[in-house]
């Protein structure tokens, strides 16, 4: 497998330098984002991750969270980050909004949120190469990695 990845990296770099612009100059390869070979690797790693027990458990947990929070409007990303980085703030927010959810109690909601956070951390630890590549990807590339065309066929 490592030889296949090495071959893909080499072929990707060769094709990047072989392409030229209209003026005949070598194409600029310092553009932000992943190369074609890195995209192949990232897509493969994501597909592999989707088969893991951690991913499957995290997906189930997120589905329950989404279903039980269906009446709540999405929080701005900055607010969400603040809540998830501070368990006390998260618990207070849940207590203030529990009637707008389908949870039986604040503790049920809090435990599920904490489980999702722990599963996300575990997933990140188990897949450092994938998340490193995702961190270097452009937003369009992230979408392509996470939502491959063969699954959603958006064309």
């Amino acid at each position: 497998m490592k030889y296949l990845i090495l071959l893909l990296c080499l072929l990707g770099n060769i094709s990047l330098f072989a392409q030229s612009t209209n003026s005949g100059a070598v194409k600029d390869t310092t553009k932000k984002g992943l190369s074609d070979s890195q995209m192949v690797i990232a897509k493969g790693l994501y597909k592999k991750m989707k088969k893991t027990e951690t991913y499957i458990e995290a997906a189930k947990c997120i589905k329950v969270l989404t279903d039980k929070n269906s009446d709540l409007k999405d929080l701005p990303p900055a607010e969400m980050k603040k809540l998830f980085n501070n368990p006390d703030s998260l618990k207070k927010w849940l207590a203030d909004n529990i009637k707008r959810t389908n949870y039986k109690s604040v503790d049920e909601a809090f435990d599920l949120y904490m489980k999702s956070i722990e599963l996300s951390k575990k997933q990140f630890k188990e897949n450092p190469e994938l998340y490193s590549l995702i961190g270097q990807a452009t937003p369009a590339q992230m979408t392509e990695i996470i939502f491959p065309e063969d699954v959603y066929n958006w064309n």
Side-chain angles (χ1 to χ4, degrees):
M1 180 65 177
K2 64 182 174 184
Y3 296 111
L4 176 62
I5 292 170
L6 178 62
L7 177 63
L8 290 172
C9 289
L10 290 173
L11 290 175
N13 287 333
I14 289 169
S15 68
L16 284 174
F17 288 113
Q19 294 175 2
S20 64
T21 61
N22 290 339
S23 65
V26 174
K27 193 174 190 175
D28 181 13
T29 59
T30 60
K31 176 180 114 175
K32 185 180 177 184
L34 300 176
S35 67
D36 290 344
S37 60
Q38 288 174 312
M39 282 295 292
V40 169
I41 293 167
K43 288 178 184 182
L45 290 171
Y46 189 78
K47 284 180 183 179
K48 182 179 174 184
M49 181 186 71
K50 285 177 66 175
K51 296 176 184 174
T52 66
E53 187 176 316
T54 304
Y55 180 88
I56 293 166
E57 192 175 346
K60 287 178 185 176
C61 188
I62 289 169
K63 175 151 179 31
V64 172
L65 283 170
T66 303
D67 291 347
K68 291 194 177 225
N69 287 327
S70 60
D71 291 339
L72 292 177
K73 293 185 178 186
D74 292 337
L75 289 172
E79 183 72 21
M80 187 73 81
K81 184 177 180 180
K82 194 175 3 173
L83 287 175
F84 283 117
N85 287 329
N86 185 334
D88 293 333
S89 294
L90 176 60
K91 202 162 198 171
K92 182 185 178 327
W93 180 84
L94 288 167
D96 292 345
N97 292 282
I98 198 70
K99 290 183 180 175
R100 295 175 54 204
T101 71
N102 294 319
Y103 294 107
K104 295 176 186 167
S105 69
V106 172
D107 288 336
E108 177 196 11
F110 183 74
D111 290 346
L112 195 56
Y113 273 96
M114 294 311 292
K115 181 179 179 181
S116 73
I117 292 168
E118 290 308 312
L119 286 169
S120 295
K121 287 178 182 178
K122 183 178 179 185
Q123 194 170 293
F124 190 82
K125 279 184 179 179
E126 291 174 354
N127 301 283
E129 184 180 5
L130 170 62
Y131 285 102
S132 174
L133 289 169
I134 288 174
Q136 298 170 48
T138 64
Q141 288 174 325
M142 285 182 207
T143 301
E144 190 176 334
I145 293 165
I146 296 170
F147 303 111
E149 289 178 18
D150 61 324
V151 173
Y152 291 94
N153 197 11
W154 288 344
N155 292 334

